[in-house]
């Protein structure tokens, strides 16, 4: 699965802060990069507007997360819909947004849609390690049989 994430939509649905937009972008970029690397998933975090040279692009990290800024004259929503439309397998793309119009367009183009809350819940959830199935050894079975027989014998007495 490949994720296309509406960056500002995610930030504004999560954070009520007086920090600068640049600081908030960096926080969300680092957090998602960490979780994507742990989960071994990939995607693109899309922001409106041109990239500023004084900001980290995200591409300098060894991460499966790409940071994209919509080109001049195009919104992040339009950029995301365009990526879904030109994708060879849009059903393998999940668009993350709370924006209803974007969600509707993404679905009509063939992508799956996930709300910001669903995405974050999934992202933070730890993968459960399969619990090993209990295997009794012959020695343990004999030991338990002996205990059972002794209790049965004591009850009959």
């Amino acid at each position: 699965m490949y994720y296309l994430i509406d960056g500002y939509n995610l930030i504004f649905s999560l954070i009520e802060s007086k920090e600068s937009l640049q600081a908030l972008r960096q926080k969300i970029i680092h957090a998602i990069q960490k979780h994507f690397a742990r989960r071994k998933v990939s995607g693109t975090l899309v922001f409106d507007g041109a990239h500023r040279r004084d900001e980290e692009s995200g591409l300098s990290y060894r991460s499966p997360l790409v940071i994209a800024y919509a080109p001049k004259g195009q919104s992040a929503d339009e950029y995301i819909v365009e990526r879904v439309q030109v994708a060879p397998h849009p059903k393998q793309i999940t668009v993350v947004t709370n924006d209803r119009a974007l969600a509707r367009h993404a679905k009509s183009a063939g992508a799956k849609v996930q709300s910001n809350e669903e995405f974050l819940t999934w992202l933070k959830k730890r993968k459960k390690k399969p619990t090993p199935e209990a295997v009794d050894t012959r020695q343990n079975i004999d030991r338990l049989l002996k205990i059972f027989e002794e209790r049965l014998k004591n009850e009959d007495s």
Side-chain angles (χ1 to χ4, degrees), residues 7-146:
Y8 287 130
N9 184 269
L10 180 62
I11 287 174
F12 295 133
S13 73
L14 288 177
I15 302 170
E16 292 182 25
S17 173
K18 293 184 183 193
E19 290 183 81
S20 72
L21 205 48
Q22 179 180 351
L24 294 172
R25 273 194 303 264
Q26 291 309 308
K27 279 184 177 181
I28 201 81
I29 288 168
H30 289 290
I32 294 175
Q33 284 173 332
K34 180 180 84 175
H35 289 292
F36 269 33
R38 180 178 54 82
R39 284 198 159 268
K40 295 181 174 58
V41 294
S42 58
T44 302
L45 183 58
V46 183
F47 294 106
D48 290 299
H51 173 255
R52 294 178 46 189
R53 290 178 191 232
D54 61 332
E55 291 186 38
E56 299 176 59
S57 69
L59 298 177
S60 59
Y61 301 98
R62 298 180 76 193
S63 170
L65 179 67
V66 174
I67 309 306
Y69 290 83
K72 188 175 182 180
Q74 187 178 42
S75 70
D77 294 5
E78 293 166 335
Y79 179 91
I80 290 169
V81 170
E82 183 180 285
R83 293 290 144 244
V84 173
Q85 290 172 337
V86 300
H89 305 289
K91 289 181 180 180
Q92 295 177 0
I93 295 174
T94 297
V95 174
V96 177
T97 187
N98 283 349
D99 182 318
R100 289 181 186 166
L102 174 57
R104 190 174 53 252
H105 285 106
K107 281 181 185 177
S108 70
K112 293 177 179 72
V113 175
Q114 200 171 40
S115 73
N116 295 333
E117 294 76 20
E118 292 169 328
F119 173 71
L120 293 171
T121 299
W122 169 82
L123 199 60
K124 292 176 182 178
K125 189 186 293 185
R126 294 261 179 214
K127 284 185 179 180
K128 291 184 179 178
K129 294 180 181 177
T131 52
E133 196 172 309
V135 178
D136 277 327
T137 62
R138 185 69 204 157
Q139 181 182 8
N140 196 35
I141 292 172
D142 290 341
R143 180 184 67 82
L144 294 171
L145 186 58
K146 184 177 178 183

